[in-house]
Amino acid sequence: MQNLVLATPLVCLLAALVAGFFGRAIGRVNTHRVAIAGVAVSFLLSLLVYIDVMGGSSFNGTVYTWATSGGASFQVGFLIDELSATMMAVVTFVSLMVHIYTIGYMAEDSGYQRFFSYISLFTFAMLMLVMSNNFVQLFFGWEAVGVISYLLIGFWYKRESAIFANLKAFLVNRVGDFGFLLGIAGVLHLFGTLDYAPVFASAPDKAGLLISGWHQWEWLTVICLLLFVGAMGKSAQVPLHVWLPDSMEGPTPISALIHAATMVTAGIFMVARMSPLFEFSETALTVVLVIGAITAFAMGLVGIVQNDIKRVVAYSTLSQLGYMTVALGASAYASGIFHLGTHAFFKALLFLGAGSVIIAMHHEQDMRKMGGLRRYMPITYITMVLGSLALAGIPPFAGFFSKDAIIAAVHNSTLAGSGFAYVAVSLAVFITAIYSFRLLFMTFHGETRMDDSVRSHLKESPWVVTLPLVILAVMSVISGALFMGPMLFGNYFGDAILVLPQHDVLAKLYQDLHHATGIDLRWGMFTHAIQTPTFWLAVAGVITAWYLYLYRPELPEKIKSRFEWAYTILDNKYGFDQFNQRVFAGGARNLGGWLWRVSDMRVIDGFVINGTAQTIGWLSGVVRNIQSGFVYHYAFAMIIGLVVLMTLFVF
Amino acid sequence: MTLLDNNILSLVIWLPILGAIVVLATGGDKNAPLAKKLALGFSLAEFVVSIPLFTRFDRTTSSMQFVEQSEWVPGFGIEYFLGVDGISMPFILLTTILTVVVVIAGWEVIQRRVAHYMAAFLFIEGLMIGVFSALDAVLFYVFWEAMLIPMFLIIGIWGGDNRIYATIKFFLYTLLGSLLMLVAFVYLYFKTGSFNILEFHAIPLSLSVQTLLFFAFFAAFAVKVPMFPVHTWLPDAHTEAPTGGSVILAAIMLKMGAYGFLRFNLPILPDASREMAGFMITLSLIAVVYIALVALVQKDMKRLIAYSSISHMGFVTLGFFIFNANGIEGGIIQMISHGFISGALFLCVGVLYDRMHSRNIDDYGGVVNTMPIFASFMMLFAMANVGLPGTSGFVGEFLVIMGSFQVNGWYAALAATTLIFGAAYTLWMYKRVIFGKVVADGVAALKDIGSREILFLSILAIAVLGLGLWPNPLLEVMHVSVDHLLDQTAISKF
């Protein structure tokens, strides 16, 4: 298994290197052949690994020793269990779809080879992240995907907005990494190692251990909170979410791959991986729960007022990441990962669908200039309908199972804040349905609002674009029903995820479903859902969207002017950007400028250094007067000196 | 062969100095091609000669290796005493690699007094290696001070417009510090009757004496590192120095101050070092945070990288004064890594300066459009400066943060702000210089780097990635020596 495991990321790396260094030499077609072959092989290997792992085998081994210092040894190594194998399969599958799609989307771009090189490299880094068996390599993958995201957001480096967005994304992520790295330092300090297995094994012994000098604070709580700061950066949780909407400046394929399906879920994956630590800190879990709930609700709301098709999907991603975080906070890690998987399919689908629309619209992204596209782009339309149904959580599509499980899990949770979280995620269902169908109706239904010149060129995208859409649509339909039973209620994750009995909300859900219907969990889920508000909220959301954007399309404007203040808050995205821009970015620049001009230049250089030089110059001017050149002056000075010395000796 | 085997350190010290004399003998600029070829030949030979220091290094002992010891001035107990351990040896290799790079980098850029330029760098190479391998205090002092002369000339002759102010500032600052170090040496000589540094390590000293000596050494080394608040000579010196001078200054000469702390303060003055740890850590953390903020607002690229260097060196001194293996080894790795990265960044600025004759960030913008290969290299080095895992910049920061967390979480937290600030100033500069639309005719006319430039940037890129992906071989060299040093600091001397 070791060779299999090692080869999975390395083929992607190899493809990336070939595409990067020889892309120009071998030409566009060969470049995409190499890159796609690389990720396809990687996907097949991941499937083999997946089948192997589901058959009961696992792998935990070192590839090489990266560093040793002070008794600790830091390895590069892989831990392949149910969690990482699932992630590998999802990552390589979506990556493969995006690779194929890119042929169509980037066909006319001069950076074609560079783009393939980046996305293959991304796949490598993401695999290193999920396959790691220790915190150092996790951090390596974590930062590596961040850099590639940075490069890809700024892919069109001539655009001022793109290179602003990529710097912002990197810096905000670095704020998260700041916490993450300190969390890792805490782990090393507390456990003496950074390998998962020994850390997780001794976590129960460390539970409740207080930090000396810090009253009431437990080591594990502090460590988990610090690690979660990292997750907040990468998985864009409030208030570190600000980079994700701006990341839409990157080409659409990477919005789908990196900023929806894989990289942004790294934080979710990480917390699930760290469940043996988080389980022992209810404080940390509560924070996770509340932050996730705020994100799910507040960011979904912003999605309703966006007019850029990609930004709607981006805010939707933020909101859905909030759901996953809520699941983690409620100790329903399995359902968080389950939603991660289904979301990867339907959100990648929605992004790629949006991209297909953007191609047809000649890179116009404003939905107000679209409309009626379903007549021109039937495949894109149908697949996006399926994706939206999945996103809105309508049964029996994938999102229904994964999202309803989260809501039910929160309902069962007894943590402080779970009541708030339950209300927030339930209301977010309504919001989700509104913005998803608003997007659908504004883009594909109603009158065509684009220029005639654009309209005359409207056509369905080529097969390299629509094929991934169709495949992803199939997954968006079936993956929920297919995996729900085993993933949520079977022993799917084995020992990869730890849930303490008192936190096991999914087990409680299982009892509820089982009691209700006997055997079939899917049917149980459905009957359970129609008895709760969430299902009806989703249906209401769809109907509301239909009413507002198809039936009475003049209404939204009226509502907007009636509730101007609310609209302004949402349109400003609650003012996070302005605040950061003014307080953090501006503050750092002002402080730096002040330190430089006042402290460095005026005090140290001006006063101390040049001041010393001036003082010496002045002193030597004074002393020079003594050097008169007259012998009797010197003789006099000598006598004075002798007298003084003699006085000292005598007394 | 045995003669060479037994005198390998002498060889690596004197070979470049001999080379410098030979290069000087070529005379005026009409023989410049010959001078350049000779300089390259000598620097390459020097690198080859220095390799056995690594390959034949015994990783199991903390005692000095490749030792050469003979009388020099017997009356005062001064010896010609050379030797290296796991702490000093890596710096010799760093020096020999970077000198090759600097020679290649100066190949076409230097048009005036070429032989002198090349000779100055060969001189300085030998002298710097002398500093790292001297085990006699007088010998150390001689190399230490002699090294200033070629650097003084390099900045003074081939430097920018404000070079006179910068050179005088540089010279006086560092000279003043080192005079106090000389006083400390003389004191220790009277105590031990010799200038043998290893005997200094063993001599018992009272805490008050240790404290005085600590500050005497501090004056010399803190200026060189440079630590806050005696850092202001560095931005001036860097800004005015020619590219090669900046590279050597940032990559190697700064390391001597930090090396001095390891060789003198910690082992000779263990009690004072522990007493002063809080003070040193405070200064280090100020350097990390304060200087990073100052770097953020710089308008001159070289000045920005100079401030970045000070901030990164703050990590080094922080690592040393937390007294654990993670910290010290992290500090040493950070020094080596910073040698490659800052050297590379100064070379990148040099590449731009050669074409545009401006170091001003505002004069650039959109360089990637005309120089894509260069932009890729600079991206790598910028990311290394940011401390991206997989590059050498990460290893030292990682270990120092890990180490300082063991001592105090707040130290680690302050140090870790570099993750944010370092990224901010480096990538903001990169954005303004490299990304964007072409802003000026000068940028539109830029030609991408040629094979000579690709060559020297590639050498550094390989070093940065190699050390980042697999730092363990280098760490293994240090372990025993660092453990020994930690033992020395743990035992009270009075």
Side-chain angles (χ1 to χ4, degrees):
Chain A
M1 190 162 171
Q2 179 163 12
N3 293 334
L4 207 64
V5 166
L6 195 56
T8 311
L10 285 184
V11 284
C12 293
L13 177 65
L14 193 69
L17 293 176
V18 171
F21 287 112
F22 308 108
R24 202 156 288 185
I26 61 177
R28 295 163 81 97
V29 174
N30 283 323
T31 302
H32 76 230
R33 279 184 192 149
V34 169
I36 290 172
V39 70
V41 169
S42 187
F43 171 58
L44 290 176
L45 293 176
S46 297
L47 280 186
L48 288 178
V49 169
Y50 183 80
I51 292 164
D52 227 15
V53 168
M54 289 304 142
S57 65
S58 67
F59 175 84
N60 183 7
T62 299
V63 180
Y64 71 93
T65 300
W66 177 70
T68 50
S69 175
S73 170
F74 309 107
Q75 323 283 346
V76 170
F78 297 123
L79 169 62
I80 306 303
D81 57 7
E82 294 82 355
L83 182 59
S84 44
T86 307
M87 289 298 290
M88 285 165 71
V90 171
V91 167
T92 50
F93 172 72
V94 178
S95 178
L96 180 62
M97 293 302 110
V98 168
H99 269 73
I100 296 169
Y101 178 91
T102 297
I103 301 173
Y105 194 84
M106 299 299 281
E108 284 156 24
D109 200 281
S110 59
Y112 193 74
Q113 290 96 322
R114 186 163 58 98
F115 191 86
F116 272 103
S117 170
Y118 286 168
I119 54 175
S120 293
L121 192 62
F122 170 80
T123 314
F124 161 73
M126 191 68 203
L127 286 171
M128 291 300 280
L129 192 164
V130 298
M131 294 166 71
S132 169
N133 73 349
N134 65 80
F135 287 84
V136 182
Q137 187 184 327
L138 174 72
F139 193 72
F140 164 80
W142 191 269
E143 292 271 287
V145 291
V147 166
I148 301 161
S149 157
Y150 165 84
L151 291 170
L152 281 165
I153 297 170
F155 186 78
W156 288 311
Y157 47 72
K158 286 183 197 174
R159 284 191 198 168
E160 196 52 44
S161 53
I163 61 179
F164 173 80
N166 75 345
L167 184 59
K168 178 174 168 183
F170 198 86
L171 291 183
V172 174
N173 267 294
R174 273 273 160 148
V175 175
D177 298 348
F178 164 80
F180 192 31
L181 193 60
L182 288 177
I184 293 174
V187 169
L188 181 65
H189 180 54
L190 191 61
F191 296 93
T193 174
L194 289 182
D195 291 338
Y196 291 158
V199 168
F200 295 161
S202 55
D205 307 334
K206 308 284 184 186
L209 197 64
L210 295 174
I211 303 179
S212 61
W214 278 41
H215 303 290
Q216 312 291 326
W217 283 93
E218 289 175 21
W219 266 112
L220 281 180
T221 299
V222 171
I223 288 173
C224 288
L225 287 176
L226 286 169
L227 293 173
F228 182 62
V229 171
M232 284 165 68
K234 195 107 306 184
S235 291
Q237 299 296 301
V238 175
L240 297 182
H241 66 283
V242 289
W243 64 274
L244 187 65
D246 286 12
S247 77
M248 296 301 124
E249 290 293 335
T252 306
I254 66 117
S255 304
L257 176 62
I258 300 182
H259 303 123
T262 58
M263 183 189 84
V264 292
T265 60
I268 309 299
F269 161 77
M270 188 264 282
V271 176
R273 177 54 95 200
M274 303 303 155
S275 61
L277 300 181
F278 278 82
E279 275 301 288
F280 293 102
S281 172
E282 293 206 346
T283 315
L285 286 175
T286 305
V287 171
V288 174
L289 184 69
V290 170
I291 296 269
I294 292 173
T295 308
F297 178 75
M299 291 304 127
L301 218 47
V302 178
I304 297 182
V305 301
Q306 296 297 313
N307 288 316
D308 182 316
I309 185 167
K310 276 181 75 180
R311 286 196 180 243
V312 177
V313 191
Y315 277 101
S316 152
T317 306
L318 284 172
S319 173
Q320 299 303 311
L321 287 167
Y323 273 100
M324 297 174 212
T325 308
V326 165
L328 302 173
S331 291
Y333 305 97
S335 99
I337 298 293
F338 181 37
H339 195 52
L340 185 161
T342 59
H343 176 258
F345 300 135
F346 63 69
K347 191 51 66 68
L349 166 62
L350 288 174
F351 263 119
L352 296 182
S356 172
V357 169
I358 293 168
I359 305 175
M361 293 291 298
H362 295 278
H363 292 272
E364 175 61 66
Q365 302 189 4
D366 191 335
M367 296 191 300
R368 285 168 298 190
K369 296 177 185 163
M370 299 177 182
L373 287 177
R374 71 180 191 279
R375 289 186 290 279
Y376 304 94
M377 314 180 71
I379 303 175
T380 305
Y381 170 64
I382 292 166
T383 53
M384 278 199 67
V385 168
L386 296 174
S388 299
L389 288 168
L391 171 61
I394 305 294
F397 300 96
F400 162 73
F401 295 103
S402 56
K403 196 190 290 181
D404 251 35
I406 292 175
I407 296 167
V410 180
H411 194 50
N412 289 339
S413 172
T414 53
L415 281 184
S418 57
F420 163 75
Y422 177 67
V423 174
V425 293
S426 299
L427 289 178
V429 170
F430 178 65
I431 297 165
T432 307
I434 293 187
Y435 65 65
S436 353
F437 279 84
R438 171 177 176 263
L439 181 150
L440 214 53
F441 294 146
M442 281 180 80
T443 310
F444 292 101
H445 290 257
E447 294 168 16
T448 51
R449 296 182 293 272
M450 65 291 285
D451 305 340
D452 288 340
S453 65
V454 176
R455 191 195 333 242
S456 60
H457 290 102
L458 281 177
K459 60 170 193 292
E460 182 60 277
S461 299
W463 71 270
V464 284
V465 170
T466 50
L467 176 70
L469 292 182
V470 172
I471 297 175
L472 285 167
V474 171
M475 291 305 287
S476 302
V477 174
I478 63 168
S479 63
L482 208 58
F483 290 104
M484 185 199 92
M487 235 178 183
L488 296 184
F489 308 116
N491 190 26
Y492 180 91
F493 286 109
D495 297 330
I497 286 174
L498 174 79
V499 183
L500 295 182
Q502 66 267 33
H503 292 160
D504 202 347
V505 289
L506 287 176
K508 191 156 180 304
L509 177 64
Y510 178 73
Q511 284 170 0
D512 294 349
L513 300 186
H514 205 70
H515 282 302
T517 56
I519 296 299
D520 195 287
L521 289 166
R522 281 165 284 220
W523 183 246
M525 199 75 181
F526 178 70
T527 51
H528 176 265
I530 54 174
Q531 293 164 35
T532 60
T534 45
F535 171 77
W536 300 106
L537 282 168
V539 173
V542 176
I543 293 170
T544 311
W546 168 81
Y547 187 77
L548 288 178
Y549 295 94
L550 280 187
Y551 189 70
R552 300 274 306 273
E554 76 286 355
L555 261 186
E557 275 304 315
K558 281 186 189 154
I559 297 172
K560 190 168 123 186
S561 46
R562 177 74 183 76
F563 297 97
E564 188 71 46
W565 57 273
Y567 177 78
T568 314
I569 292 174
L570 291 182
D571 197 40
N572 285 324
K573 301 129 195 160
Y574 310 108
F576 280 104
D577 284 336
Q578 291 89 330
F579 181 81
N580 293 336
Q581 195 68 26
R582 213 163 289 163
V583 176
F584 291 118
R589 277 202 301 267
N590 288 338
L591 183 60
W594 185 84
L595 289 174
W596 182 42
R597 278 189 305 275
V598 176
S599 174
D600 254 34
M601 283 164 72
R602 206 167 297 160
V603 177
I604 297 177
D605 257 8
F607 185 70
V608 182
I609 305 303
N610 297 344
T612 309
Q614 280 155 16
T615 312
I616 290 172
W618 173 79
L619 261 181
S620 38
V622 174
V623 174
R624 194 169 55 203
N625 295 330
I626 300 168
Q627 312 265 329
S628 58
F630 297 114
V631 177
Y632 61 89
H633 281 175
Y634 298 155
F636 182 68
M638 283 162 74
I639 289 164
I640 296 279
L642 268 175
V643 171
V644 171
L645 280 175
M646 278 175 67
T647 330
L648 282 174
F649 272 117
V650 172
F651 299 99
Chain B
M1 254 339 257
T2 50
L3 183 73
L4 278 185
D5 284 352
N6 295 333
N7 296 291
I8 185 163
L9 283 173
S10 283
L11 188 65
V12 290
I13 293 173
W14 299 108
L15 180 68
I17 293 177
L18 173 74
I21 295 167
V22 172
V23 169
L24 276 182
T26 59
D29 279 342
K30 64 180 186 300
N31 285 332
L34 178 63
K36 287 191 279 195
K37 278 176 202 148
L38 280 170
L40 182 62
F42 271 101
S43 62
L44 283 173
E46 168 77 354
F47 172 63
V48 172
V49 170
S50 69
I51 291 174
L53 286 177
F54 183 79
T55 53
R56 288 183 19 216
F57 190 83
D58 181 353
R59 288 147 177 80
T60 59
T61 173
S62 65
S63 47
M64 292 293 164
Q65 305 188 33
F66 306 101
V67 171
E68 294 171 40
Q69 191 167 16
S70 56
E71 290 186 337
W72 184 18
V73 188
F76 291 96
I78 301 173
E79 291 173 315
Y80 180 77
F81 184 16
L82 303 172
V84 289
D85 61 1
I87 294 171
S88 51
M89 186 274 285
F91 294 101
I92 298 179
L93 282 160
L94 176 71
T95 310
T96 58
I97 294 172
L98 280 166
T99 305
V100 175
V101 169
V102 164
V103 168
I104 301 172
W107 203 257
E108 283 153 15
V109 182
I110 300 298
Q111 300 286 344
R112 193 162 59 89
R113 310 176 83 168
V114 176
H116 295 175
Y117 179 86
M118 296 296 177
F121 281 102
L122 289 173
F123 264 122
I124 214 169
E125 177 178 27
L127 297 172
M128 291 187 300
I129 293 173
V131 169
F132 289 125
S133 46
L135 292 176
D136 180 278
V138 172
L139 190 62
F140 177 86
Y141 190 76
V142 168
F143 283 128
W144 178 274
E145 294 293 20
M147 193 177 68
L148 288 180
I149 301 165
M151 187 47 79
F152 183 79
L153 295 174
I154 287 167
I155 303 176
I157 297 174
W158 293 276
D161 301 331
N162 199 17
R163 58 182 184 264
I164 304 300
Y165 173 75
T167 43
I168 303 276
K169 197 171 176 181
F170 161 68
F171 200 86
L172 287 182
Y173 238 121
T174 46
L175 189 71
L176 273 177
S178 32
L179 284 175
L180 287 171
M181 174 171 76
L182 186 61
V183 173
F185 285 158
V186 172
Y187 179 86
L188 288 165
Y189 165 71
F190 283 121
K191 279 272 175 184
T192 61
S194 94
F195 281 102
N196 185 328
I197 294 174
L198 301 182
E199 286 185 30
F200 291 176
H201 286 184
I203 183 89
L205 295 163
S206 73
L207 182 60
S208 53
V209 168
Q210 284 194 36
T211 309
L212 286 174
L213 291 175
F214 186 92
F215 279 104
F217 283 124
F218 174 80
F221 302 140
V223 165
K224 206 71 147 206
V225 168
M227 293 179 75
F228 175 87
V230 286
H231 63 276
T232 57
W233 64 272
L234 186 75
D236 284 315
H238 268 312
T239 317
E240 299 305 326
T243 304
S246 293
V247 172
I248 294 299
L249 191 58
I252 306 164
M253 287 184 77
L254 300 190
K255 308 303 176 296
M256 302 194 160
Y259 171 73
F261 282 119
L262 289 184
R263 187 59 86 222
F264 296 95
N265 291 54
L266 293 185
I268 301 177
L269 317 164
D271 305 289
S273 297
R274 281 200 304 274
E275 283 285 311
M276 290 296 139
F279 170 72
M280 297 298 287
I281 289 169
T282 307
L283 291 186
S284 306
L285 289 172
I286 292 177
V288 171
V289 178
Y290 165 118
I291 300 293
L293 285 168
V294 172
L296 193 61
V297 295
Q298 297 306 311
K299 295 176 168 61
D300 180 311
M301 286 189 268
K302 275 183 123 176
R303 206 169 262 279
L304 191 151
I305 300 167
Y307 275 110
S308 155
S309 293
I310 305 170
S311 184
H312 280 92
M313 290 305 287
F315 258 89
V316 175
T317 45
L318 170 65
F320 290 172
F321 283 88
I322 54 179
F323 300 109
N324 59 36
N326 285 347
I328 293 181
E329 291 179 350
I332 298 172
I333 288 268
Q334 172 85 339
M335 283 156 78
I336 302 282
S337 150
H338 177 260
F340 292 124
I341 297 168
S342 65
L345 285 173
F346 278 118
L347 286 164
C348 285
V349 176
V351 163
L352 290 174
Y353 185 80
D354 295 342
R355 289 162 171 73
M356 296 267 292
H357 300 286
S358 167
R359 300 181 305 257
N360 203 344
I361 294 172
D362 289 342
D363 293 342
Y364 292 89
V367 168
V368 64
N369 295 291
T370 41
M371 301 177 73
I373 301 174
F374 170 74
S376 312
F377 273 108
M378 191 160 168
M379 181 84 261
L380 172 67
F381 297 128
M383 282 300 172
N385 201 44
V386 167
L388 186 78
T391 67
S392 62
F394 173 65
V395 188
E397 284 182 11
F398 172 74
L399 287 176
V400 172
I401 290 172
M402 295 298 129
S404 46
F405 198 97
Q406 327 273 328
V407 180
N408 186 328
W410 294 111
Y411 295 166
L414 280 171
T417 56
T418 194
L419 258 69
I420 305 164
F421 295 136
Y425 63 72
T426 310
L427 295 181
W428 192 33
M429 173 186 81
Y430 187 86
K431 174 197 164 206
R432 286 176 292 165
V433 172
I434 304 291
F435 286 145
K437 291 196 180 74
V438 173
V439 293
D441 296 342
V443 176
L446 284 176
K447 281 214 163 48
D448 208 343
I449 47 177
S451 51
R452 182 184 59 86
E453 287 158 324
I454 291 177
L455 174 66
F456 65 71
L457 291 177
S458 299
I459 295 173
L460 292 172
I462 290 167
V464 164
L465 287 173
L467 194 53
L469 292 172
W470 200 30
N472 207 36
L474 187 57
L475 282 161
E476 279 178 343
V477 166
M478 297 173 201
H479 287 328
V480 182
S481 297
V482 169
D483 288 345
H484 176 62
L485 177 63
L486 282 167
D487 291 343
Q488 286 178 312
T489 58
I491 299 164
S492 175
K493 269 197 162 186
F494 60 86

